[in-house]
Amino acid sequence: MSPFLFFLLAVPLVVFSLGVVLARSPVRSALSLVVALFLLAVMFFLLDARMIAALQVIVYAGAIMVLFLFVIMLLNLQQEPVETARPGQRTIAGVFSLVFLFFMGAIALRGLPVMPGPGVETAVTPSFGSVEALAERLFTRHALAFEVTSVLLLVAIVGAVVLARKIQR
Amino acid sequence: MQQSISVLVTFVLVGGLVAVMVSLGWLLGPRTETPAKGEAFECGNPPSGSAWGRFPVKFYMTAIIFIIFDVEVVFLYPWAVLFDRLGWFGFAEMLVFLTVLGFGLLYVWQKGALEWD
Amino acid sequence: MLTLILISAVKALIVVAMVLNLAGILGWVERKGSALIQDRIGANRAAIFGFAGAGLVNTLLADPIKFLTKEDVIPRGVDRLLHTLAPCVSLFPAMVAFAVVPFGDRLHVGELVVNLQAIEVDVGVLFLLAMTSLGVYGVVLGGWASNNRLSLLGGIRGSAQMISYELAMGLGVVAVVLTYGSLDFQEIVRRQGHMIGGWIPSWGILYQPLAFLLLLIAGIAETKRAPFDLPEGESEIVSGYFTEYSGIKYLMFFMTDFVEIAIVSAVVTTFFFGGWQIPFLGSQGFVFPWGWSLALPHVVVVLLQVAAYMVKVFVFCCLQVLVRWSMPRLRYDQLMWFGWKVMLPLGLANLVVTALVLLWVRG
């Protein structure tokens, strides 16, 4: 991915991510997240991780964000009520953000060994990100993790049903 | 490379077309605002109350069950591509996976989360 | 680089032109077809110098011009940005999704080899599913941003319906991918090129009849047309999520409908009816099993294949129009029952049986 394309996508990505936090209307906020996730998927695509890009859109933008929108509509959240922050809340949030920013910045500046990015696309093998390569790993070496995922999903189903029945009562 | 170019070019072209359509409608259409026109359409009656009411929890349930089974289906795509190489091992692997989630479906079914009346 | 961009642009233009024309012609098929079914005359008013072209002037010329020059009414108290965005978010993914389906084989122009697929992606099937899964936002947004309870009702109904049938659609697609072992549309079409015993084209319908039904039904449910048209159920909620839309924005929602029909047809054609393949037509021309053969130049072969693809897609579009005008609307509980308790288990069973048969056949 050329630096030009990277910034063409990264700048709106940051803008929409900010939109998620700053938008007053919850629907706009959720939609900003959808756009941000979509842009992220385009970046994955341009980095030759096409499978991940597609799954990113199918699962995150196409499924999870629909649930977010449903919750917003279900609870009839119109406008975010003017918050009455507890004293010190903002300070703590700020400190945590700064610490997070510091570590992320440190990682970004040092660069990860195999992270393809602007100018390092040659480091990638031809089969990188291909469906076969991913499936090979997932269904042989990580077979157990894959099976455990099904149990995790089962727990999620049970949890959802139990919680919803409580709400209905 | 070719793949990225074809996607970007199509995105730009279709996005441009959609933008042109919206702006053409905005340019060519007349604009006259009257109080009656701005009203929400409720078959001629003046709209009563806010449109944004609360919704049954059923829809929320549908969405959450959908996410879980969507993730299940997503696991199936790479498995299907590699199925020839995985053979019986892959079949057994997926059968266990599907059985566990099949119980999930039966549970949801039996608890009546899929009933609509 | 520049040639690559140019070729991509030309292909994307071809597909966009294809889909726009198809939408227009389908508008005509729908209006005239429904008239035929209901024993009416149908669109016949607009004419140029007395030439009405059996309603074609109406649907291809008069309708778009009228939509363009109508006022775009935005109701009071709505989020104007979201109201405008909704039809765009509805139309964009639909048109992009159509572009990923190949409309022909590789075309050789001198040194150049042009793959007749506007978006050449090796995970094309996933790309298509990703784009169609975004289609739900147009519905949700249209419903939400209208300040109208009927719209909101339509939007929520529509989105719940779309996600419910997406599962069955996904399972049908997995069964097809399992059969061909590829996520690449071109690869899937090529696999359907040979003849079983020299006579029967090895089209996907022979291997996956149940997946065909699942995909077609789920596809019709995704397009939100009768018998699955509860989101716009005009007898109860005016016209659902686009009640408060007029002018070009209404046209865009309307076009999305037709583009989605085209996608369903294109996918069904590609998965189950050989895509651009014509039986007995190889790269050198026709070769029939009873000994006849007809040599054809390369360009003619490719053009014939593109034409075959378009004809197949059009036939399935017409089938969907026919379905729409002959089926009564389902009730919502029936709709959900069918999606979750019939389609989903059927899809799972089909998948397991397919895998077993494949293991048995391939050893």
Side-chain angles (χ1 to χ4, degrees):
Chain A
M1 187 162 52
S2 67
F4 170 70
L5 267 181
F6 175 77
F7 284 107
L8 199 67
L9 288 166
V11 172
L13 182 54
V14 172
V15 170
F16 279 105
S17 306
L18 284 175
V20 179
V21 187
L22 297 178
R24 277 249 156 240
S25 138
V27 175
R28 277 193 182 196
S29 177
L31 278 174
S32 299
L33 191 50
V34 174
V35 176
L37 289 170
F38 183 78
L39 287 171
L40 202 60
V42 176
M43 282 184 120
F44 275 134
F45 193 96
L46 297 184
L47 289 169
D48 288 324
R50 285 179 282 275
M51 170 96 187
I52 303 295
L55 297 191
Q56 164 97 1
V57 174
I58 294 177
V59 175
Y60 284 90
I64 292 177
M65 289 315 295
V66 176
L67 179 68
F68 275 42
L69 278 175
F70 268 28
V71 171
I72 291 168
M73 291 181 181
L74 187 78
L75 300 179
N76 190 19
L77 303 171
Q78 276 299 316
Q79 290 276 301
E80 200 180 311
V82 182
E83 58 180 301
T84 47
R86 285 189 200 141
Q89 204 174 14
R90 279 172 188 251
T91 326
I92 296 170
V95 168
F96 272 111
S97 313
L98 277 180
V99 170
F100 185 67
L101 194 70
F102 173 75
F103 280 114
M104 290 312 279
I107 292 171
L109 284 180
R110 273 177 54 202
L112 287 174
V114 276
M115 198 165 70
V120 260
E121 53 195 317
T122 45
V124 178
T125 56
S127 70
F128 174 82
S130 78
V131 185
E132 285 85 1
L134 198 140
E136 187 85 60
R137 280 277 177 102
L138 182 64
F139 295 109
T140 54
R141 202 193 298 175
H142 301 292
L144 184 68
F146 163 68
E147 298 296 353
V148 173
T149 311
S150 67
V151 180
L152 189 69
L153 290 174
L154 185 66
V155 172
I157 296 178
V158 175
V161 171
V162 170
L163 281 178
R165 287 171 72 86
K166 259 187 199 155
I167 296 172
Q168 264 179 333
R169 259 191 232 129
Chain B
M1 191 62 194
Q2 204 175 357
Q3 305 197 12
S4 304
I5 289 177
S6 66
V7 167
L8 287 180
V9 166
T10 314
F11 274 8
V12 169
L13 206 102
V14 174
L17 178 79
V18 168
V20 164
M21 282 179 80
V22 168
S23 28
L24 262 186
W26 182 77
L27 279 174
L28 294 178
R31 262 187 300 274
T32 49
E33 297 221 352
T34 62
K37 221 185 256 176
E39 255 171 27
F41 181 77
E42 283 187 10
C43 309
N45 295 328
S48 52
S50 165
W52 290 291
R54 298 202 166 203
F55 267 87
V57 73
K58 280 273 166 206
F59 289 101
Y60 167 76
M61 277 303 294
T62 308
I64 209 162
I65 299 173
F66 160 71
I67 292 183
I68 288 159
F69 286 102
D70 200 38
V71 172
E72 173 193 347
V73 175
V74 153
F75 273 110
L76 290 169
Y77 296 117
W79 170 79
V81 172
L82 211 72
F83 183 69
D84 269 354
R85 249 186 286 166
L86 291 169
W88 280 104
F89 173 67
F91 181 72
E93 218 178 350
M94 194 43 80
L95 203 61
V96 173
F97 185 79
L98 287 183
T99 313
V100 172
L101 282 170
F103 278 121
L105 184 62
L106 280 182
Y107 176 78
V108 172
W109 194 321
Q110 200 255 323
K111 285 284 171 191
L114 302 177
E115 302 297 333
W116 291 72
D117 40 26
Chain C
M1 181 78 184
L2 198 65
T3 31
L4 276 182
I5 294 179
L6 265 178
I7 291 173
S8 284
V10 169
K11 283 193 293 188
L13 272 177
I14 291 176
V15 169
V16 166
M18 216 193 263
V19 95
L20 288 179
N21 281 309
L22 195 59
I25 292 171
L26 277 180
W28 177 75
V29 171
E30 181 115 283
R31 292 184 70 178
K32 277 303 201 186
S34 64
L36 194 70
I37 289 170
Q38 296 169 346
D39 202 13
R40 294 183 281 115
I41 296 170
N44 66 344
R45 291 288 151 179
I48 305 173
F49 305 118
F51 172 73
L56 268 175
V57 174
N58 237 356
T59 49
L60 290 184
L61 268 175
D63 283 359
I65 292 173
K66 273 186 86 171
F67 277 123
L68 266 173
T69 50
K70 289 294 167 192
E71 179 176 356
D72 172 19
V73 182
I74 300 179
R76 259 195 315 275
V78 306
D79 193 329
R80 297 175 80 95
L81 176 68
L82 294 188
H83 189 267
T84 309
L85 215 56
C88 306
V89 193
S90 167
L91 187 57
F92 178 82
M95 290 187 86
V96 173
F98 187 79
V100 79
V101 184
F103 54 94
D105 202 354
R106 290 193 199 93
L107 176 69
H108 297 266
V109 189
E111 293 285 287
L112 277 174
V113 181
V114 183
N115 186 6
L116 292 184
Q117 181 183 18
I119 297 184
E120 305 166 55
V121 189
D122 53 1
V123 291
V125 175
L126 285 182
F127 189 92
L128 181 111
L129 287 168
M131 284 304 141
T132 46
S133 75
L134 288 179
V136 70
Y137 288 107
V139 179
V140 171
L141 272 189
W144 171 262
S146 292
N147 189 19
N148 182 324
R149 61 186 63 190
L150 304 174
S151 295
L152 190 59
L153 203 55
I156 293 213
R157 275 186 189 183
S159 42
Q161 166 182 342
M162 284 172 89
I163 58 178
S164 297
Y165 280 80
E166 217 173 291
L167 290 175
M169 190 173 72
L171 286 172
V173 170
V174 172
V176 172
V177 173
L178 195 61
T179 315
Y180 297 113
S182 176
L183 289 169
D184 187 348
F185 275 113
Q186 284 288 25
E187 184 66 29
I188 288 175
V189 176
R190 293 222 175 80
R191 292 275 173 88
Q192 300 177 55
H194 69 92
M195 296 284 151
I196 303 168
W199 286 89
I200 309 159
S202 64
W203 286 353
I205 181 79
L206 297 176
Y207 302 110
Q208 288 290 348
L210 189 60
F212 164 66
L213 279 180
L214 285 175
L215 267 180
L216 187 66
I217 294 171
I220 294 177
E222 293 281 311
T223 58
K224 305 173 288 299
R225 287 160 60 87
F228 301 104
D229 63 342
L230 291 100
E232 43 180 290
E234 67 276 6
S235 55
E236 1 167 349
I237 50 173
V238 192
S239 61
Y241 57 94
F242 48 78
T243 302
E244 292 290 351
Y245 280 91
S246 55
I248 192 84
K249 292 186 194 164
Y250 177 82
L251 178 68
M252 285 167 79
F253 272 124
F254 209 71
M255 272 174 63
T256 312
D257 246 34
F258 287 127
V259 177
E260 281 173 344
I261 297 171
I263 296 172
V264 175
S265 307
V267 169
V268 164
T269 302
T270 308
F271 281 167
F272 305 105
F273 292 90
W276 39 260
Q277 301 271 13
I278 303 176
F280 312 117
L281 180 65
S283 54
Q284 305 297 319
F286 283 103
V287 180
F288 295 104
W290 55 89
W292 293 1
S293 63
L294 177 66
L296 290 171
H298 174 67
V299 182
V300 176
V301 170
V302 172
L303 281 180
L304 272 177
Q305 285 172 335
V306 173
Y309 169 75
M310 298 209 289
V311 169
K312 286 177 189 174
V313 168
F314 186 67
V315 166
F316 279 104
C317 289
C318 291
L319 177 72
Q320 288 179 67
V321 171
L322 192 65
V323 167
R324 174 178 173 179
W325 292 101
S326 32
M327 301 276 237
R329 184 179 304 144
L330 292 173
R331 268 191 342 245
Y332 207 75
D333 60 325
Q334 292 172 329
L335 176 96
M336 285 301 182
W337 167 79
F338 193 66
W340 286 95
K341 298 189 174 176
V342 178
M343 301 276 282
L344 187 60
L346 266 184
L348 284 170
N350 182 42
L351 188 68
V352 174
V353 171
T354 305
L356 270 178
V357 170
L358 278 180
L359 279 174
W360 182 58
V361 169
R362 293 177 189 169

